[in-house]
């Protein structure tokens, strides 16, 4: 089965983290389905159904943890499957995929803005905020609060091993917010200077646990010890329906070369490298989750999942 080369390119860019961030990879996956439909050369409905299913599979296999990615694909594909009886020609099918993918992308971008507006209300003038990694949702909250005239400052962790904290520091700094870049190891050292922690999420489990960039759980633990609030900013499509059904969110382990160059490791005896990209923060360490549908406590994660998927759809997922 062949796909347009642009679709393989999107899949590759997600895998190599050229496109990264849970929200961004979800939108890129939707774009991958859209490109499949736009550039498809197949002519029969049967061939197109096979092709779009194959594109979904290729995009799904890129990164395992951020549930936003399968949720974006599920959004497009389930609407497509439900609409199939009304889609008479191959062209109708292609147009419907394009329409639904565009809807997902638009809703997703609006969700990030809305999270900014809702979350900014919880930021006070003068707050010193700590953030970890690079989350567009967390950044949306901080920049919105700043634009509203709140004089905030931010500690950004560098976020080993891929240093996404540099992107955060640059973005916030360019927006005019004073930023202090610190090593991940320095989080507890500075915790007593921090008013609140705000991070994003790659996935949220049915029990309200947050799966986010490796190190988030240590940041949350240090915050908990210092009685500093921890806010999580995440769209509702980052809640994982599979966790209602007993599955755990798989944690991606990436290449050892992200941690240490191959040649350097080769000089060490009996040393191996582990490089998990994410960890799980238990709900007890999280004060609120800011979604585009409002602020919830982590304990209300199941309510969001129930609202988004309903019992029937959840039961269908049991087969996946
Ligand atoms: P937004 C990122 O994962 C980070 O863990 C970040 O906190 C999370 O996605 C959410 O990002 P990675 O792709 O969707 O850097 O809020 O591994 O942008």
């Amino acid at each position: 089965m062949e796909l347009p080369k642009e679709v393989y390119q999107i899949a590759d860019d997600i895998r190599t983290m050229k496109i990264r961030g849970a929200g961004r990879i979800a939108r890129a996956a939707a774009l991958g389905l859209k490109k499949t439909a736009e550039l498809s050369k197949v002519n029969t409905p049967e061939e197109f159904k096979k092709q779009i299913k194959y594109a979904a599979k290729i995009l799904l296999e890129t990164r395992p943890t951020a549930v936003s990615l399968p949720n974006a694909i599920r959004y497009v594909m389930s609407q497509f499957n439900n609409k199939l009886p009304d889609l008479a020609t191959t062209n109708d099918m292609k147009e419907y995929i394009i329409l639904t993918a565009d809807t997902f992308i638009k809703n997703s971008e609006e969700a990030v803005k809305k999270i900014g507006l809702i979350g900014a209300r919880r930021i006070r003038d003068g707050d010193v905020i700590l953030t970890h990694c690079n989350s567009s949702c967390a950044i949306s909250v901080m920049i919105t609060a700043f634009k509203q005239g709140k004089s905030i400052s931010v500690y950004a962790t560098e976020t080993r091993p891929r240093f996404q904290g540099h992107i955060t520091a640059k973005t916030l700094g360019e927006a005019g917010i004073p930023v202090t870049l610190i090593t991940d190891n320095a989080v507890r050292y500075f915790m007593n200077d921090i008013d609140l922690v705000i991070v994003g999420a790659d996935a949220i489990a049915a029990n309200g646990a947050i799966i986010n960039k490796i190190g988030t759980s240590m940041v949350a633990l240090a915050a908990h010890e210092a009685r500093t609030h921890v806010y999580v900013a995440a769209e509702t499509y980052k809640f994982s329906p599979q966790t209602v059904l007993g599955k755990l969110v798989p944690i991606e382990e990436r290449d050892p070369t992200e941690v240490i160059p191959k040649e350097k490791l080769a000089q060490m005896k009996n040393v191996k490298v582990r490089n998990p990209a994410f960890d799980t923060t238990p709900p007890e360490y999280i004060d609120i989750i800011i979604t585009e549908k409002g602020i919830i406590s982590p304990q209300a994660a199941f309510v969001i999942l129930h609202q988004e998927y309903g019992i029937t759809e959840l039961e269908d997922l049991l087969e996946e």
Side-chain angles (χ1 to χ4, degrees), residues 91-103:
N91 235 2
D92 290 347
M93 289 183 182
K94 291 177 182 173
E95 272 169 21
Y96 196 70
I97 290 283
I98 294 170
L99 178 84
T100 353
D102 277 341
T103 308

Side-chain angles (χ1 to χ4, degrees), residues 8-312:
Y8 289 113
Q9 186 61 52
I10 291 174
D12 218 49
D13 287 349
I14 298 175
R15 198 174 303 111
T16 56
M17 291 178 71
K18 200 165 162 195
I19 302 175
R20 54 144 295 281
R24 259 185 229 110
I25 65 175
R27 290 190 287 277
L31 182 69
L33 295 175
K34 177 181 168 174
K35 289 279 167 214
T36 308
E38 261 177 1
L39 304 168
S40 167
K41 292 206 171 70
V42 303
N43 296 314
T44 69
E46 279 319 306
E47 276 175 312
F48 181 69
K49 275 192 265 175
K50 269 193 204 146
Q51 191 182 35
I52 198 76
K53 244 180 139 176
Y54 184 63
K57 179 179 173 289
I58 293 293
L59 291 160
L60 266 176
E61 284 168 355
T62 50
R63 289 192 77 190
T65 300
V67 76
S68 46
L69 188 143
N71 281 350
I73 292 172
R74 184 174 299 120
Y75 176 88
V76 177
M77 295 303 284
S78 68
Q79 300 227 24
F80 174 67
N81 288 332
N82 293 341
K83 189 80 178 172
L84 267 179
D86 302 334
L87 305 172
T89 67
T90 317
N91 235 2
D92 290 347
M93 289 183 182
K94 291 177 182 173
E95 272 169 21
Y96 196 70
I97 290 283
I98 294 170
L99 178 84
T100 353
D102 277 341
T103 308
F104 179 86
I105 294 168
K106 187 170 144 273
N107 290 347
S108 161
E109 283 163 351
E110 276 169 11
V112 177
K113 278 192 205 137
K114 226 168 171 185
I115 286 170
L117 286 169
I118 296 171
R121 293 197 161 143
R122 297 299 295 262
I123 310 286
R124 297 156 305 182
D125 189 31
D127 268 348
V128 180
I129 302 170
L130 184 137
T131 189
H132 182 58
C133 198
N134 176 251
S135 152
S136 35
C137 288
I139 285 179
S140 175
V141 172
M142 293 183 275
I143 291 189
T144 308
F146 182 73
K147 282 190 177 155
Q148 288 171 349
K150 291 173 186 164
S151 143
I152 57 167
S153 60
V154 175
Y155 280 76
T157 58
E158 54 183 1
T159 318
R160 283 270 298 152
R162 293 189 64 112
F163 300 104
Q164 289 99 321
H166 293 183
I167 310 170
T168 301
K170 190 164 185 284
T171 309
L172 295 176
E174 279 170 0
I177 301 173
V179 182
T180 308
L181 185 67
I182 60 170
T183 63
D184 303 337
N185 313 337
V187 165
R188 189 164 177 267
Y189 180 84
F190 287 112
M191 192 50 83
N192 284 328
D193 302 335
I194 307 295
D195 294 305
L196 66 103
V197 171
I198 178 159
V199 291
D202 290 80
I204 300 175
N207 69 343
I210 302 295
I211 294 85
N212 193 47
K213 183 55 54 197
I214 190 79
T216 303
S217 68
M218 285 204 310
V219 173
L221 183 63
H224 186 73
E225 181 201 36
R227 296 169 191 254
T228 303
H229 282 171
V230 176
Y231 295 178
V232 174
E235 309 89 315
T236 47
Y237 54 79
K238 289 177 182 159
F239 288 70
S240 163
Q242 292 286 4
T243 57
V244 179
L245 306 165
K247 276 203 182 167
L248 295 176
V249 176
I251 301 291
E252 175 182 15
E253 282 221 29
R254 298 187 61 86
D255 205 82
T257 53
E258 288 186 348
V259 178
I260 184 168
K262 225 180 185 157
E263 315 74 58
K264 220 170 175 184
L265 183 64
Q267 291 164 12
M268 298 177 183
K269 269 200 185 124
N270 291 321
V271 177
K272 69 171 178 185
V273 175
R274 295 280 310 268
N275 183 21
F278 303 98
D279 65 19
T280 304
T281 302
E284 306 84 75
Y285 296 169
I286 297 154
D287 292 279
I288 54 170
I289 304 175
I290 308 158
T291 79
E292 77 279 15
K293 301 208 169 142
I295 285 181
I296 62 159
S297 72
Q299 288 71 22
F302 180 74
V303 179
I304 294 281
L305 281 160
H306 199 268
Q307 249 175 27
E308 293 299 300
Y309 299 95
I311 289 296
T312 348

